[in-house]
Amino acid sequence: MQAKPQLYGLPAYKPGKPISEVKEELGLKKVIKLASNENPYGSSEHAKQAIIDAVMNSAIYPDGYSGELRKKVASHLSVNEDQLIFGNGTDEVIQFLCRAFLTPNDNTITADPTFSQYKLNAAIEGAEIREVPLTKAGEHNLNEMLNQIDEHTKIVWVCNPNNPSGNYIGKEEFEHFLSQVPEHVIVASDEAYIEYTVADDYPDTIPLLNQYKNLVILRTFSKAYGLASLRIGYGVAHPEIIQVMEPLRPAFNTTAYAHAAAIAALEDQEFVEQSSKRNREELEKFEAFCQKHHLFFYPSQTNFILIDLEMPGDDIFAFLLSKGYITRSGQALGFPTCIRISIGSEEENAGVLQALEDLLQERKQGSES
C-alpha cells in the first residue's frame, strides 16, 4: 500500500510522559507537570458543574453545529454566528484551513520556530512551506514574511503571542502587516494565549474582520479557561471562509461536554481574569530569578517562559525531571540551550525555581573544580 508521498518521514506529535510513568521510572512520590501550558488553577466551578449535568445525556449525540455555544461565543465577541467554526481544539481548525486552501501547487508561510501544527498540516496537503526565522529577540520577522509572499501563497501563519518564545506582535505592527498582505492570502492569527496578554498595545483583531476578508482568528478554551482535556477551540472569519471550511468538519467533531463547559466558562469571566492576574504575578517571579542570575529570557505574554541557561536543553530537562518537574526541552522547540516552563501555582513555581537554583549551583561548582 502506498500512502501520500509527503506523509513519509513526517514526525508524529509526541506528548510528554504521563506523570504516573515518570513516578514509576524515577521512584518519585510527587511529580509536577509544567510542560503543556495548562491552567494550574483548573477551570471555573460553573464549568465543572456543567460537565456533571451533561453526563445525563451521554447517550445522545452532541449538537453538530454547536448551536448554543455558537450563540454564546458570537455574543461574547460581537460577531455573527456564521463567522464561527468550532473544532476539536484549534488544531482541528488549523487542519480545516490547510485542507480547504492548500494544494501541492501552493505555498504557506510561517515563522520558525513556532507552533508545529501549521507546518505539519501544510505538509500533509503537499504545499510548499516557507519558514522565516524569528529575530534574535524571538519575534516574528513580518517584513521578511511579506517578502516571501507570491501569487502561489495561500496562508500566512501569525502566532500571537508566539509559542514557544512567548513574544507578541503589537497593534501597529500587526495592522501594518495586514494592510500589506494581498487579498488572496489568508492571514491566520493564532491567539491561543490572548487571555494572558497584558500588553497595552496587543492588537484587538476582532474589529479588523470588518476590514479584512482574508483574516482568520484562532482561539481556544484550552488555556486560560482550563478546558484542555475537552478539546474545544474555534475560528472566526468572514462567512465566505467559514462556508468553505464547514464541509470539512466531521458531523460530531466536538462533544456535548465541551459545549456545556465552554458556555459556562464564558459566563465566568472573573475566573479567567483571576487566572491571568495570578499567572502574571508568578511569571514575574521567573523574570526576577533570571535577572538575578543574569540569564536571558524571552519576554512572555503567555503562561510560559523560555529561559536560556546556555547548556543543552535536554540536560536541563533531565535535571528538572529528576527533581520531579516535567518541562519542555528547548532542543525540541528550536531553542537548543533553553528550557520552556509552564507557569504553575505559587507552590509549584517555588519548587521549580529552587530546582533551577540547584542546577546553577551544581554548574558553578563544576566549573570551579
Side-chain angles (χ1 to χ4, degrees), residues 281-300:
E281 291 170 353
E282 293 301 311
L283 178 62
E284 289 174 356
K285 294 178 182 178
F286 282 87
E287 293 176 346
F289 175 88
C290 292
Q291 290 162 356
K292 172 186 173 183
H293 292 284
H294 308 289
L295 299 172
F296 178 81
F297 65 93
Y298 293 86
S300 177

Side-chain angles (χ1 to χ4, degrees), residues 13-36 38 317 321 324-328:
Y13 180 76
K14 294 181 179 179
K17 290 183 178 180
I19 290 175
S20 57
E21 188 175 328
V22 173
K23 284 182 178 179
E24 184 176 348
E25 281 188 9
L26 300 180
L28 297 170
K29 292 183 178 180
K30 185 177 182 181
V31 172
I32 304 298
K33 182 185 176 191
L34 299 173
S36 300
E38 295 144 333
F317 169 84
L321 190 64
Y325 295 95
I326 304 173
T327 55
R328 283 297 301 273

Side-chain angles (χ1 to χ4, degrees), residues 167-182:
N167 301 73
Y168 79 105
I169 300 165
K171 171 180 166 56
E172 185 176 344
E173 188 179 8
F174 180 75
E175 291 188 15
H176 175 73
F177 171 76
L178 199 54
S179 71
Q180 300 299 305
V181 175

